[in-house]
Amino acid sequence: LWVLVLGGAVGLVAAGLFGDALTNAIDFTSEPEAKEAAQLIEERLRGEEPDSELILVISETATVEDPTFAEYVGALQGAVEALGPDVVRNVGSYLTEDGPVSESGRAVLLPVLMTETDEDDLSDDAKLLDEAVTSVDRPEGFETHVAGPATLFNQFIEIIEEDIAKGEGIGSIVALIVLLVVLGAVVAGLIPLVLAAFAIVIAMGATALAGLVFDFSFFVQNMITMIGLAVGVDYSLFIVARYREERLHGRDKFEAIGRAGATANRAVFFSGMTVVLALLGLLIVPNTIFRSLASGAIFVVLVAVAASMTLLPAILSLLGDRVNRLRVRKNAGRVEAGTGFWDRATRLVMGRPVISLLVGAGLLVVLAIPYFSIHTGTSGVSTLPDDIEGKRAFVLLEQNFAGGLSEPAEIVIDGDIADPAVQSAIGELTATVAEDEAFAPANPLEVNETGDLAVLSIPFRGDIYEDASVQGIRDLREEYVPTAFEGTDARVLVGGETAFNVDFFDQSDTYMPIVFTFVLGLSFLLLTVVFRSVVLPVKAILMNLLSVGAAYGMVVMFFQQDVGPGFVKDIASALNFIQVESIEAWIPLFLFSILFGLSMDYHVFLLTRIREHYDLTGDNTGSVAYGLRTTAGIITGAALIMVAVFGGFAAGRLAPLQQMGFGLAVAVFLDATIVRTVLVPSAMRLLGRANWYLPRWLEWLPKLDVEGHEAAEHRVEVPDTPAELVEAGVDPVRRQGDFG
């Protein structure tokens, strides 16, 4: 059945339905000011506006008066016009109209008005435009660039795809190495990767089907791959390890599969549900990018959980003990019985619980402190790598045509434009803005035919994404516009690309506490039911918040300019991390939802094992030691895989992906080390039996038996050494043969 489903998903993707479901457009599903302003301009003034691209021509040796210059520009203009009206409406040039020429006379612009208004089709047409420009023989000493929103977006996507492929390659290789070390056999190590591949492809198929109704941001494919590789490998790793452990304890094949299902499979199911709950929080935010990211991640997590619970048992049934073929170490599949690093570390921490808790929590709090200096925004063209053509074009445009060429701020005035009070307000606003260094001189006022709507376009002097431009929008909205139009009947909105970004920043800030409350509340309820305790959920939530907070602080230290000690900046420089004015506005909310779900994974796996032993023995201290000892190798391996997957993204060339990958990697690392090794055992040691406290008025909660202790309580413990086997009356040769 799974193979059939996989074949169907491959068919959907191959048929192009997955690609058709993706869009380049990013939009609000609510009505912020910038979106409302854009709608008024489209409906009552300009109609549906096409995109404009720019062809920049610069010569080191000739001026516009040189015949070679004119001949080359004419050839470019002809090549672009040859694309036809389906691609290009009009190509401007100083040869045929009063086109832009730099003061030096060595640089000109050819404005290209595109035909398509759909962003996805426009992206394809921008590639045709670039090919047409490239096809013209360029004279020696000339430099030519295509610049504009669609062209820059295409270059941005190309970098992302290269970085994603690099990250996936690094993650897959490291995952295989870790799986071989942890599971000790090639066949066992490949199974989790097979499960991850199933989850990723089928989730893409599900997205393709959902795409018949909804559009998804193109980022969804990256989210599916990244999260699918992480959780698909993790979930199957836990189950395969538990199956092999049960075989070592004397179960036959089918009984071992059943015992693994009664324990690890249940933990996987509820771990997956905590991830889904955390991701549901992103669906609350009313914009397509967050909803697309959440949807893709939810699809792949659900498929990974389903595959772990049904496909994986089928594979184990087919393979049996052949799962241990091609061993890379002799004790493959064996769980430590009471010695080793993790056992000693656990008992050391639990022997000094107060000191351990204070030191561990104190370290995470210190790492979180830089978060309070965070400045959110977005990365502009200036943060792109220097070898990217879009970066070069931006620099040259800024040098030769300062002001007036970037996406302007657009002041939309809805009212009687002929009213003297409104005219006076427009004049006052124009004069005020002229004194602000963030803006270039305003363009002529545009008024619609009925005289009830006008747009005052005010270009920025610098990068429209930098802090100065963002602050300019805030000044317009909070000070300049209200002051100028006070006492008039006009309704005034501030729109444009930068205003759109400001609305996105504000929306992220507004919904952050809402998402936090939603995710934390639902997680508390689920964990209370799962563990039949009100103490464990509170402790797990607090510890996850500590690791997430530490990740926030480290992202700020490593990426935000002027924050963090010098040695941290030296490390960041060695890792080629881009220093920016602002951390991406979507990073905190995104990291919280993803990290809270993934970190809770480890808590659920660990606590279910502790609870399993506690229900059998009633010994809190011994149960904590047992749970950590028996899950340490698996959880460490799973964490290393996630760190490798996310670290691969941090090795990319774009600041947003670097911040995302680094934040995810360090949070998982901290959670799997400090939280699991220090905070969990020390806190559980101090709380004792209070860990399992459930008020009497909640006794009605269902007993889900997530830990599978009913199945585990009859488990046969088979000694590990040949001498112990003989003493127990077991033939060691036959016992070895049973396990292959």
Side-chain angles (χ1 to χ4, degrees), residues 72-93:
Y72 177 52
V73 169
L76 286 173
Q77 191 172 6
V80 174
E81 289 174 343
L83 292 173
D86 292 339
V87 177
V88 176
R89 289 190 186 183
N90 180 58
V91 187
S93 167

Side-chain angles (χ1 to χ4, degrees), residues 181-185 244 248 324 327-336 739:
V181 172
V182 173
L183 297 176
R244 299 165 83 210
L248 282 170
N324 296 303
R327 297 187 183 218
V328 295
R329 58 182 175 86
K330 292 182 179 180
N331 61 340
R334 191 170 299 281
V335 179
E336 288 184 279
F739 195 56

Side-chain angles (χ1 to χ4, degrees), residues 477-642:
R477 287 178 170 177
E478 298 168 10
E479 183 179 349
Y480 301 163
V481 168
T483 300
F485 285 86
E486 184 179 5
T488 70
D489 294 330
R491 175 169 171 252
V492 184
L493 303 172
V494 179
E497 181 69 21
T498 308
F500 185 97
N501 289 332
V502 170
D503 288 338
F504 178 81
F505 305 156
D506 293 343
Q507 187 184 79
S508 298
D509 292 340
T510 299
Y511 277 87
M512 195 164 183
I514 299 173
V515 173
F516 269 54
T517 303
F518 175 83
V519 171
L520 296 179
L522 282 185
S523 298
F524 175 80
L525 293 176
L526 177 65
L527 294 178
T528 298
V529 174
V530 168
F531 295 114
R532 293 185 62 77
S533 166
V534 294
V535 176
L536 286 179
V538 171
K539 181 167 63 64
I541 287 171
L542 290 176
M543 290 181 180
N544 279 354
L545 288 177
L546 280 174
S547 63
V548 171
Y552 283 171
M554 292 186 71
V555 168
V556 174
M557 274 196 296
F558 275 80
F559 290 95
Q560 187 171 313
Q561 296 170 359
D562 304 324
V563 178
F567 74 91
V568 170
K569 297 301 185 185
D570 291 339
I571 297 173
S573 177
L575 295 172
N576 294 319
F577 288 166
I578 300 171
Q579 297 296 296
V580 294
E581 287 183 336
S582 307
I583 302 299
E584 294 295 313
W586 55 271
I587 287 287
L589 194 54
F590 173 83
L591 285 185
F592 168 75
S593 295
I594 299 296
L595 290 175
F596 191 85
L598 295 180
S599 298
M600 198 62 80
D601 258 5
Y602 297 143
H603 269 87
V604 171
F605 282 121
L606 174 58
L607 293 177
T608 51
R609 205 64 189 268
I610 293 173
R611 182 68 194 239
E612 175 187 329
H613 197 270
Y614 179 80
D615 285 339
L616 295 177
T617 66
D619 177 8
N620 179 72
T621 302
S623 297
V624 174
Y626 171 83
L628 282 162
R629 181 177 69 245
T630 54
T631 61
I634 302 300
I635 290 180
T636 301
L640 286 175
I641 291 169
M642 282 198 181

Side-chain angles (χ1 to χ4, degrees), residues 427-450:
E428 180 182 342
L429 177 62
T430 303
T432 301
V433 169
E435 298 176 0
D436 191 321
E437 294 182 356
F439 298 103
N443 294 329
L445 186 71
E446 295 180 75
V447 183
N448 67 353
E449 293 181 358
T450 56

